[in-house]
Amino acid sequence: MQKIKNIIFDYGNVIFEIDFKRTQDALLQLGITNSTEFFAHKSHHNLFNDFETAAITPAQFRVGIREAAGNNNLTDEEIDVAWNSLLIGVPPGIHDVLLKVKEKYRTFLLSNNNETHYNYIVDYLKREFNMPDNSGLFEKAYYSQHMFLRKPNVEIFEQVIRENNLNPAETLFIDDSPQHIEGAKLAGLNTLLMTKHPKELEQVLIEHQIL
């Protein structure tokens, strides 16, 4: 990793712990009987892609959930609670690790996100860490719903590279999704697949001679 000067971090299950099964179970409770296919780590219904690229609003997303559940009586709150149930939190000390990495490298965040999850996360960061958002941890934070693009599309990586004048050969992308890793490779980035719990981020960085 001696040539690496820039690092692009994914958020979910690299920094912020998430659990897809929680939302699969919650969607099942709402009446979506094929919830494990409807919403999964490696693939999911286009409803989620549209929400993560701001092609639809939170209200339209909820309509899609009601249609999938066959239940027009589901409340906004019931849907939002189910949708946010996968969001667990940032393990202790991880923000300090990111600040340590920022001292050595140019660092960026690139997250497939959506308005509902983003608002929940911002509230969580304010409540638990007295932070306004993630902006202080990175040179710049990118979210799919603000870019109208999502990983693994090569265009989202190329936009980050272009806007920050990054040399892909000197840039490392860290993500827990194999399909996102493949998209990053198409953009010429070095990649690292995160296979451990976010609480082990520092150890992973040490093992790969990043810290």
Side-chain angles (χ1 to χ4, degrees):
M1 294 294 177
Q2 285 81 359
K3 65 179 180 179
I4 297 300
K5 296 180 180 178
N6 323 295
I7 301 177
I8 304 170
F9 288 93
D10 173 40
Y11 198 52
N13 276 346
V14 173
I15 295 165
F16 189 108
E17 183 185 358
I18 60 176
D19 185 346
F20 284 85
K21 190 175 186 307
R22 285 190 178 193
T23 288
Q24 289 171 343
D25 291 345
L27 293 174
L28 181 62
Q29 292 298 313
L30 294 184
I32 300 176
T33 55
N34 66 332
S35 64
T36 54
E37 293 80 33
F38 186 70
F39 179 67
H41 185 199
K42 293 187 178 179
S43 64
H44 47 236
H45 192 281
N46 278 336
L47 179 69
F48 302 100
N49 294 345
D50 289 343
F51 198 22
E52 289 182 340
T53 55
I56 59 174
T57 64
Q60 291 170 316
F61 174 77
R62 295 186 194 106
V63 169
I65 294 295
R66 291 185 184 103
E67 289 176 352
N71 184 355
N72 287 328
N73 294 319
L74 292 173
T75 67
D76 289 356
E77 183 181 10
E78 286 174 320
I79 294 169
D80 288 354
V81 167
W83 180 225
N84 287 333
S85 62
L86 85 165
L87 301 171
I88 297 174
V90 179
I94 296 304
H95 290 157
D96 291 335
V97 173
L98 292 171
L99 291 173
K100 194 183 303 184
V101 178
K102 189 181 178 186
E103 291 177 358
K104 294 184 63 177
Y105 306 88
R106 294 181 68 192
T107 61
F108 304 87
L109 181 69
L110 180 58
S111 173
N112 281 354
N113 213 304
N114 59 83
E115 186 177 331
T116 303
H117 282 172
Y118 179 82
N119 290 340
Y120 179 98
I121 289 165
V122 167
D123 287 344
Y124 164 83
L125 292 173
K126 288 177 180 175
R127 184 177 68 251
E128 298 295 329
F129 297 98
N130 197 29
M131 293 167 50
D133 51 35
N134 278 306
S135 59
L137 300 172
F138 308 94
E139 184 172 323
K140 187 168 183 181
Y142 286 91
Y143 299 95
S144 61
Q145 80 274 20
H146 300 151
M147 302 171 76
F148 313 111
L149 291 167
R150 71 184 298 279
K151 299 174 290 184
N153 295 342
V154 67
E155 291 84 3
I156 196 169
F157 299 104
E158 290 173 342
Q159 182 173 331
V160 175
I161 291 166
R162 182 176 63 254
E163 289 186 1
N164 299 284
N165 196 28
L166 303 179
N167 179 350
E170 296 176 343
T171 305
L172 176 67
F173 173 64
I174 304 175
D175 199 295
D176 70 312
S177 300
Q179 68 271 26
H180 298 168
I181 292 289
E182 292 309 309
K185 287 179 179 177
L186 292 175
L189 296 170
N190 297 278
T191 60
L192 173 58
L193 180 65
M194 181 76 168
T195 58
K196 296 185 177 180
H197 190 282
K199 67 184 178 183
E200 298 182 62
L201 177 61
E202 183 172 26
Q203 187 58 39
V204 169
L205 297 176
I206 291 170
E207 287 173 0
H208 288 85
Q209 298 180 325
I210 296 163
L211 280 180

